[in-house]
Amino acid sequence: DLKARVVADGTGLKLDDIAGTLENAGQPQLLTGSGELAWVKGLRASASIASRWLDLDRIVGTGAETTPLQSGMALADALIHMLPGEAASALKLTVDQVNLGGDAVAGLKLAVSRADGPLTLENLEAGLPGGARLDLSGTIAGTGERRFSGQVGLHGPSFGRFLAWAAKDMRL
């Protein structure tokens, strides 16, 4: 379900007061935000979305049995396909709590953009299991196998708890 106030003219359109609902096994996930699409002097698209709770494992189709890294890469792949390479596009996502890798991640803030090339991860902040805090920025490129290049900041009191969540059954 998606509702929005739309204002359009010959130069583009604006979506305000976006209210969307994703149904998740009887648990609705509510989205709010705004967006804009302009087609004069080049195609440009942007959106800002917020939610109190999202199950990213289900949204990207990985499920709770996969590692957070696998779910994160599936999300990056979805964003690369969602943000058109032939347009200047940007997305900001703020979520109070997400399910990722079968556990709760708090305070997710994500800002990505794309313009004729790789996905630019302008900022990713999140509170991870084990009290860890993640700050990430860089680029995600490649077709088929994705590659990340950038800065990673990870700190917190329990590296063991974080690693148990992040790696699950992976052999490191």
Side-chain angles (χ1 to χ4, degrees), residues 22-105:
L22 301 171
E23 188 64 33
N24 179 24
Q27 300 174 331
Q29 300 174 72
L30 307 175
L31 304 168
T32 60
S34 61
E36 189 171 340
L37 178 63
W39 46 78
V40 173
K41 296 182 183 176
L43 187 59
R44 295 177 315 281
S46 64
S48 181
I49 306 293
S51 180
R52 299 217 9 102
W53 172 73
L54 291 177
D55 188 343
L56 289 183
D57 290 330
R58 283 190 184 260
I59 290 172
V60 297
T62 55
E65 67 280 353
T66 61
T67 68
L69 181 59
Q70 290 168 321
S71 292
M73 291 310 292
L75 178 60
D77 195 51
L79 288 171
I80 287 171
H81 288 95
M82 185 174 66
L83 298 176
E86 57 280 343
S89 53
L91 172 68
K92 290 184 180 181
L93 177 66
T94 304
V95 185
D96 293 343
Q97 182 176 319
V98 301
N99 286 356
L100 182 66
D103 213 332
V105 171

Side-chain angles (χ1 to χ4, degrees), residues 74-142:
L75 178 60
D77 195 51
L79 288 171
I80 287 171
H81 288 95
M82 185 174 66
L83 298 176
E86 57 280 343
S89 53
L91 172 68
K92 290 184 180 181
L93 177 66
T94 304
V95 185
D96 293 343
Q97 182 176 319
V98 301
N99 286 356
L100 182 66
D103 213 332
V105 171
L108 176 73
K109 293 181 182 177
L110 173 69
V112 295
S113 63
R114 186 168 185 214
D116 294 328
L119 183 71
T120 300
L121 184 58
E122 295 171 11
N123 185 42
L124 171 62
E125 298 176 15
L128 307 177
R133 185 82 193 145
L134 176 68
D135 295 301
L136 190 68
S137 63
T139 58
I140 299 172

